[in-house]
Amino acid sequence: MRKLFFTIFALGLLAPALQADTVDAKASYLWSNRINQGIASFTVKPSMLTEIGVAGRYVKDRNDYAYGRFKDPIYSVYLPMRLELELLDVELTPFYYFENDSAENASYQKASGYGATFALTVLMEDDQVNDVYTHARVGAAYAKQDGTLFKNNAAGENTSYAQAAYFLHLRQSLFQAYRFDVMGAAFQYPDGIKDVNAFRGVMNQQDLVSLQTLDVTRDLRKYSVGGRFTRTWQDKPSALYFGYSFTENYTADPDHSFLLGNSFLIVKNVYVDMAYNHLESSGHKNKRDVFYVSANFSF
């Protein structure tokens, strides 16, 4: 998997050799006192209406957790696909987590997972005279993990555990200078969530729903709401954004997330995005700080 990750990154660097105006590549790195994460992705537009890609990610736990950290990196791969129509975009992203058995407790089974997200983005308003537009993105996700489930007053149970998520994202853009985003999501557990204390699995819950946080979390969520304000400068081009989200969890205290970021052009077709994310549980507990940087190449 490491070879796959670096192969994807190398393809991004070799993108100029491919057909012009059809290729996007991205490499990002995220770090905190809890985890390190690296992502490389590569997308191509085989036609004016379609976009396909591949992405690889690794996550390395740095701290111990209540049910034991994963000593080896966690690797996953994603295959995003998009169909762009006049008033509607259709997205499908299957993903897969490779098997990880780096547990100190021999009773824990090998952890892996798979799933997919599906989303529709609808153009609700497009006022080109006043530079105003409104998008609505609605979708659902499903995943299943092999891992160890912990319930009240019971030993860990090795099982395959399913979950689903449903989300809505509204975006309002004004005068090519201001953008407002509001997002919400709810989670469902077909295999049951009653009396569940924790699930030791490899999947980042943000593979199902992406909200205003950079943190890698494997806690089982209940619902999440968030928003973002973005100020853009078309002549630069660059953007400054602020975000907040609140997440209620089944297997952890509620989380507040505060996000600050800046994206800007370095040279032609090369963008950099830098962000800082502060998170803390209700009652100002479990504070952590996450730092993020990415380079985006467009050809």
Side-chain angles (χ1 to χ4, degrees):
M1 180 57 192
R2 295 188 186 186
K3 292 182 179 179
L4 173 63
F5 178 84
F6 289 110
T7 299
I8 296 170
F9 180 72
L11 286 173
L13 297 179
L14 293 174
L18 301 177
Q19 185 178 356
D21 300 323
T22 63
V23 177
D24 290 304
K26 179 178 179 179
S28 68
Y29 189 71
L30 179 151
W31 68 98
S32 71
N33 65 325
R34 296 174 61 246
I35 57 95
N36 288 336
Q37 172 184 272
I39 299 177
S41 63
F42 175 82
T43 60
V44 62
K45 298 191 71 170
S47 72
M48 293 295 294
L49 301 179
T50 58
E51 181 180 277
I52 58 175
V54 61
R57 174 168 67 181
Y58 83 90
V59 174
K60 175 63 176 175
D61 288 350
R62 299 179 62 186
N63 284 357
D64 288 330
Y65 296 90
Y67 296 92
R69 68 185 177 96
F70 289 90
K71 296 180 292 182
D72 296 332
I74 297 168
Y75 294 100
S76 54
V77 64
Y78 307 80
L79 299 173
M81 295 170 277
R82 180 196 295 265
L83 174 63
E84 300 176 358
L85 304 177
E86 184 176 357
L87 299 176
L88 178 70
D89 289 355
V90 182
E91 302 171 52
L92 177 65
T93 304
F95 59 85
Y96 179 76
Y97 277 79
F98 292 83
E99 194 172 81
N100 190 307
D101 61 353
S102 58
E104 294 180 356
N105 190 328
S107 66
Y108 298 164
Q109 74 171 353
K110 296 179 180 180
S112 62
Y114 64 90
T117 62
F118 176 79
L120 299 174
T121 302
V122 181
L123 180 61
M124 302 175 63
E125 179 184 10
D126 187 12
D127 184 348
Q128 298 183 7
V129 175
N130 298 307
D131 291 325
V132 175
Y133 71 81
T134 305
H135 286 174
R137 184 172 184 263
V138 60
Y142 176 83
K144 200 157 192 177
Q145 298 189 75
D146 288 338
T148 306
L149 186 71
F150 297 87
K151 292 188 175 183
N152 292 340
N153 304 316
E157 173 190 355
N158 291 328
T159 186
S160 184
Y161 195 63
Q163 59 183 115
Y166 311 93
F167 54 89
L168 175 64
H169 180 174
L170 299 176
R171 169 171 290 180
Q172 179 73 56
S173 179
L174 301 173
F175 318 120
Q176 294 186 351
Y178 305 99
R179 192 165 65 235
F180 303 89
D181 295 84
V182 178
M183 292 144 283
F187 290 76
Q188 181 185 17
Y189 299 88
D191 295 329
I193 195 66
K194 184 179 179 180
D195 297 327
V196 173
N197 287 332
F199 182 80
R200 188 180 189 276
V202 290
M203 191 183 76
N204 182 1
Q205 293 293 306
Q206 294 201 85
D207 287 346
L208 297 179
V209 174
S210 178
L211 284 174
Q212 298 309 306
T213 177
L214 299 171
D215 196 26
V216 174
T217 176
R218 303 180 196 117
D219 289 310
L220 303 183
R221 293 182 168 187
K222 189 174 184 179
Y223 68 86
S224 186
V225 293
R228 178 184 290 196
F229 168 76
T230 305
R231 174 68 167 97
T232 60
W233 291 268
Q234 297 296 323
D235 56 335
K236 302 289 186 181
S238 62
L240 182 66
Y241 54 89
F242 308 89
Y244 168 78
S245 72
F246 172 80
T247 303
E248 184 81 28
N249 301 301
Y250 283 107
T251 58
D253 292 332
D255 264 341
H256 300 271
S257 172
F258 305 89
L259 180 66
L260 171 63
N262 184 25
S263 61
F264 49 92
L265 186 70
I266 295 292
V267 295
K268 184 180 179 180
N269 296 331
V270 180
Y271 286 84
V272 168
D273 187 11
M274 304 175 67
Y276 164 71
N277 188 195
H278 174 76
L279 301 102
E280 58 182 61
S281 302
S282 296
H284 305 290
K285 299 181 295 183
N286 190 22
K287 297 180 180 180
R288 59 248 192 228
D289 298 294
V290 182
F291 301 90
Y292 170 86
V293 61
S294 72
N296 304 266
F297 311 90
S298 182
F299 306 97

